Amino acid sequence: MTKNLLFLTGKLAEKSLNKVLSEVQSNPKTPPFKYRVEQIGVSVAALMTPDLISRRLKETGDADKVIVPGLCQGDLAALEKQYGVPVERGPDDLKDLPQYFGHAGVAPDLSQYTVDIFAEIVDAPYLSVEGIIRKAQQFQAQGADVIDLGCLPAVPFPHLTDAVKALKQIGIKVSVDSLNTDDLLAAGHAGADFLLSLTEKTLWIADEVAATPVLIPAKPHSLPSLYRAIDACLEAGRPFIADPILDPIHFGLTDSIVRYQKLRKKYPDIQVMMGIGNLTELTDADTTGINAILFGMISELNINAVLATSVSPHALNAIAEADVARRMMHAAKRDDRLPRGYSNGLLGLHDRRPFTYSADEIREIAAQIKDPSFRIQVGEEGLYIYNRDGLFENIDPFALYPHLKVDDDASHAFYLGVELARAQIAWQLKKRYVQDQELEWGIEGMMEDKAGKTAHREASLKEKRNKSKLSK
C-alpha cells in the first residue's frame, strides 16, 4: 500500500530535499510512496523544535506519517498526539534519505549475538574487592558477560575467594585465570563459573569443583594435547570450552588461526573460546579494525566466547568494540550480507560518505543566505564558510579568519574557531562534518556522556544580542 509522507524542512534545504526525494521516489528499488514537502518558515531545518512545529503546522492533510529533520531536538510524542499520525526523525543529513528508505526507516536489529565476552581484570591481585567490583561493573556496562579475574605469577591474591563471592553476590558471572592449581581450586570452591585454563594434566581440578573448565594444550601449539582433554570431557559428559590460543603477530598468528579452523572442523559442535588480547593489546594499531577482522573470523568459525582485555591506553574501549563487532557480525551472518550498513561503531577515523554536498550545491545554498549568521560546510575540495556578505573557501582555517570580521566579538570568534577546527579535521580525515555537532568517532563517541552540551552557535548569538541591547 502506497504511503503518504509529509516532510518538514526549512527554507535553505527545501530545494535540495525535493530533489533528493524525487530521485528516491523514481528508484525502482524503493517501495512506492507519495510525498509532500512543507517548509515551515525557519532558515535552518535543524533549528526546528516540536513546539515550533506545533505552532506553525496546524494539520497534516492526508499524510500517513510526518518526517522531521534528524537534528530536530525534543520529544515528538506531543506532535503524534496532535496530528494523530506517526512522527519520526529522518536522517541527520537529507542526502542520507536513499539509505533511510533502503532500510525502510528501521534501524538494523543489533540486539542479538552468539559470542560471550569474558573481560579480564588483569591487575585483580592489586585491587581491593571494592576496586574489583567497580572495574567489573565498568566492563559489564561496556558489554562483558563474564568477568575474568587474572592471577599473576608469584603475586599473592589473598582476597581471591572474597572477590569471587562478592561478584557472585551481585549477580555477575565470574571466571578465574591462573596457572596455580591452588588458585583454581579456591576459586572453584568459592563459586567461580569458569576456570582458565586447564590442560589434560590438570583436568582433575574439574572433578573437584562445579566450574566449567576452559581447556588449552598442555604443550604450546599442540592440538593433540588439546584433543585429548576435549575427548576426556566429552566422555565424562562434562561441559567445557576449548581454546587453542591465538598468538601475536610474528609469533605464530597465522598458524594459530589455522589451529582454530582445524579444531572447529574436527569438533563442529563444541564450545570454543578465542583470547583476542594478544592482538588488540600487542599491536600498535587502532583496535576497532583489529576487532572487526577478528570478529569476522570468529563469526565464520562459530566461536562462542572471547577473552578480551582493556589495559593499554590505545585499547581502553576494546571491550565495547568487541560488543559492537559481535552484534554487527551476527546480524550480517543472519542476513547473509556483507557487514556494511549495520553500525558506525567501528568507523573511528573515517566515514563511508564524508562529503554529501558538491561545491556547486554549497554555492547554491550560500547564494540564498540573507542574514549575518555564518554557515560552515565541508566538501571534497575543502572548507566553506558563508553568510550574506559572501562565501569563502580554503583548506586552512587561518586563511579564512581575515574574511570573517569578528575581531571585536570574542565569543563569536571563539565559536567559529572551534567549528572551523572541527571542519578542518573532518576534511583531513574524510569524515562527515555537521555544524554545531561534534565529529563522530565510532564507539569512542558512543562512550561519551552527551548530557549538558549546548548549541554553542545559539549561545554565541544570544550573547551578541544581549550586548547589543545593553549598548542601546
Side-chain angles (χ1 to χ4, degrees), residues 60-374:
T60 59
D62 60 353
D64 302 313
K65 183 186 291 187
V66 178
I67 314 294
V68 303
L71 294 176
C72 173
Q73 301 296 313
D75 187 0
L76 303 180
L79 293 178
E80 292 190 339
K81 185 176 180 181
Q82 177 178 342
Y83 301 133
V85 296
V87 179
E88 66 180 43
R89 290 178 179 83
D92 289 351
D93 190 323
L94 67 85
K95 289 298 189 75
D96 290 327
L97 279 169
Q99 289 73 27
Y100 173 85
F101 278 96
H103 289 290
V106 178
D109 179 12
L110 297 177
S111 64
Q112 302 174 38
Y113 58 86
T114 56
V115 181
D116 286 333
I117 297 173
F118 286 56
E120 182 178 5
I121 302 178
V122 297
D123 57 348
Y126 295 117
L127 300 177
S128 64
V129 172
E130 292 75 18
I132 289 172
I133 289 175
R134 282 195 298 272
K135 184 162 282 191
Q137 291 173 330
Q138 174 189 339
F139 286 163
Q140 197 175 42
Q142 292 179 15
D145 302 285
V146 181
I147 299 301
D148 181 67
L149 301 180
C151 300
L152 301 171
V155 176
F157 196 168
H159 52 300
L160 170 61
T161 57
D162 291 338
V164 172
K165 291 176 181 177
L167 291 171
K168 292 295 294 178
Q169 192 171 7
I170 59 175
I172 295 178
K173 288 185 178 181
V174 182
S175 65
V176 172
D177 190 351
S178 179
L179 299 174
N180 187 306
T181 56
D182 290 338
D183 286 341
L184 295 174
L185 281 170
H189 288 305
D193 300 278
F194 303 91
L195 298 180
L196 284 69
S197 300
L198 303 187
T199 69
E200 59 177 325
K201 296 180 179 179
T202 57
L203 197 52
W204 58 269
I205 294 175
D207 295 325
E208 305 289 330
V209 297
T212 298
V214 177
L215 308 178
I216 63 172
K219 181 181 178 182
H221 310 149
S222 173
L223 278 179
S225 172
L226 181 58
Y227 293 162
R228 288 191 289 270
I230 290 171
D231 290 339
C233 286
L234 290 173
E235 186 176 347
R238 176 186 294 130
F240 67 92
I241 304 174
D243 185 356
I245 307 299
L246 186 72
D247 292 319
I249 294 172
H250 295 146
F251 291 87
L253 170 64
T254 304
D255 286 341
S256 65
I257 292 171
V258 171
R259 288 197 296 273
Y260 279 96
Q261 193 256 359
K262 288 181 177 179
L263 176 66
R264 179 50 82 200
K265 276 196 170 184
K266 183 172 176 64
Y267 299 98
D269 300 319
I270 68 169
Q271 298 279 304
V272 179
M273 171 183 281
M274 178 184 285
I276 59 179
N278 275 348
L279 252 66
T280 55
E281 296 283 349
L282 304 181
T283 309
D284 279 348
D286 292 319
T287 52
T288 48
I290 295 174
N291 271 316
I293 295 297
L294 281 175
F295 275 87
M297 291 190 295
I298 286 165
S299 180
E300 287 192 353
L301 292 169
N302 295 318
I303 288 172
N304 313 95
V306 297
L307 178 63
T309 54
S310 181
V311 182
S312 299
H314 81 289
L316 287 181
N317 286 327
I319 292 166
E321 293 164 10
D323 182 42
V324 172
R326 64 175 172 175
R327 295 171 187 272
M328 183 173 74
M329 295 303 171
H330 175 80
K333 187 175 185 178
R334 175 196 64 209
D335 298 341
D336 195 24
R337 286 179 49 195
L338 294 170
R340 303 186 70 190
Y342 286 95
S343 171
N344 292 330
L346 300 181
L347 283 171
L349 293 181
H350 311 289
D351 284 328
R352 287 184 60 195
R353 296 179 64 243
F355 308 130
T356 53
Y357 289 84
S358 69
D360 288 342
E361 288 176 312
I362 293 173
R363 293 183 185 113
E364 186 177 345
I365 294 171
Q368 303 177 55
I369 300 301
K370 307 299 181 186
D371 61 70
S373 297
F374 282 104

